[in-house]
Amino acid sequence: EAGVTQFPSHSVIEKGQTVTLRCDPISGHDNLYWYRRVMGKEIKFLLHFVKESKQDESGMPNNRFLAERTGGTYSTLKVQPAELEDSGVYFCASSQGMDQPQHFGDGTRLSIL
Amino acid sequence: AQSVTQLDSQVPVFEEAPVELRCNYSSSVSVYLFWYVQYPNQGLQLLLKYLSGSTLVKGINGFEAEFNKSQTSFHLRKPSVHISDTAEYFCAVSPTSNTGKLIFGQGTTLQVKP
């Protein structure tokens, strides 16, 4: 089976621009998670979808971040406008159930100049 | 709230030597425990998990971990490492009553030298 796929693998944009990251979970996985790792820090939870609904968005840093999962399949994470502190690696993970192991994508490395 | 502390940011070790990567956690509720590994330019891969039962958990690639509730630790061990084990290792917890979100430690880079 195909794993979790993230696009793009690397994005370089200027401060103030908009960027959209995409995650395609493993087929049939209702649970989809976004995490972020800022350089030198730990990986931090951003939010959790169950199908198309946001189950927990307690980790979203501010209202410049917008996550969607229309139709309960792939998800997008949009940053608008991007700030320097948004640089880092954004990981997506999916699982069949909330008590099942999460499968991670390779991440999107976002660089804000 | 939960927190995870990985006591070593880097662990250098020679090939075929044993290794232990330390992990301590803090939580007021019951948690599941995990170890993930990230090889260069790849995503995180699950090494092993503790949900319940036996406190000694065996994972992939010859790794094992022991859950110690009294010391709130979940140290990862391997009796003999290979060059290919060079990677970053992450300890994580997830509250049993929560949404499944993972709380990670800072990561430990294992550097296996020939």
Side-chain angles (χ1 to χ4, degrees), chain A residues 33 35 37 48 98 102 105-106, chain B residues 36 43 88 99-100 102 106:
Chain A
Y33 302 82
Y35 295 88
R37 189 182 194 192
H48 169 212
M98 286 187 277
Q102 295 176 29
D106 290 346
Chain B
Y36 281 84
E88 191 164 17
T99 63
L102 295 167
Q106 300 91 330

Side-chain angles (χ1 to χ4, degrees), chain A residues 13-28:
Chain A
I13 63 170
E14 293 187 349
K15 175 183 172 181
Q17 290 186 321
T18 297
V19 62
T20 300
L21 314 181
R22 172 170 169 149
C23 170
D24 285 70
I26 293 173
S27 178

Side-chain angles (χ1 to χ4, degrees), chain B residues 62-102:
Chain B
F63 283 93
E64 64 180 30
E66 185 156 19
F67 170 52
N68 187 319
K69 189 174 182 179
S70 62
Q71 296 186 4
T72 60
S73 67
F74 191 54
H75 301 332
L76 181 71
R77 302 185 185 99
K78 185 169 183 178
S80 176
V81 295
H82 303 289
I83 296 288
S84 59
D85 292 323
T86 295
E88 191 164 17
Y89 293 78
F90 296 92
C91 181
V93 303
S94 177
T96 59
S97 59
N98 211 311
T99 63
K101 75 178 186 183
L102 295 167

